Amino acid sequence: QVQLVESGGGLVPAGGSLRLSCAASGRTSSTYAVGWFRQAPGNEREFVAAISRNGANTYYAYSVKGRFTIDRDNAKNTVYLQMNSLKPEDTDVYYCAARSNDYFLTLANKYNYWGQGTRVTVSS
């Protein structure tokens, strides 16, 4: 079992930056691949970015590639999502999720554990 807690969301003007954190507790976080997803009310969860267990491989949605960076510090059991050049359409609740292998990391239904979400609002 692993518990995930997101933080770092907030209100930022367009063009600004935020750094989200996903802190894991329970089993050692390095045994889990981690993904970030976002969801607006009434919509399905949308893949944003993911990182493999050892951090060697990262994946990004086309809409955020070049603007967002995912990385992890296994010593701190934390995965980060650095979000730059934010746009109003990035406004959503952002969730981190974990799974115990490195396959299908872009698919929300493959993840076993989810955090409670952190809200990001980008004003125009």
Side-chain angles (χ1 to χ4, degrees), residues 9-111:
L11 174 63
V12 62
S17 298
L18 284 174
R19 184 172 175 84
L20 305 184
S21 297
C22 174
S25 60
R27 289 185 62 184
T28 306
S29 70
S30 61
T31 64
Y32 293 92
V34 173
W36 284 96
F37 294 79
R38 61 190 183 187
Q39 185 174 27
N43 292 347
E44 293 186 357
R45 287 190 180 179
E46 175 191 7
F47 170 74
V48 176
I51 188 166
S52 61
R53 287 172 295 171
N54 64 4
N57 297 300
T58 56
Y59 308 88
Y60 297 93
Y62 179 80
S63 59
V64 307
K65 201 166 188 177
R67 300 189 296 124
F68 291 11
T69 302
I70 188 171
D71 66 320
R72 66 190 302 157
D73 185 340
N74 284 342
K76 296 182 178 180
N77 291 336
T78 303
V79 172
Y80 304 98
L81 184 68
Q82 177 68 43
M83 305 188 298
N84 298 328
S85 302
L86 283 161
K87 304 175 181 179
E89 51 263 43
D90 294 318
T91 295
D92 259 325
V93 177
Y94 284 69
Y95 299 88
C96 67
R99 67 169 302 181
S100 58
N101 62 52
D102 292 335
Y103 302 110
F104 306 111
L105 296 184
T106 64
L107 301 179
N109 63 3
K110 297 297 184 182
Y111 285 83

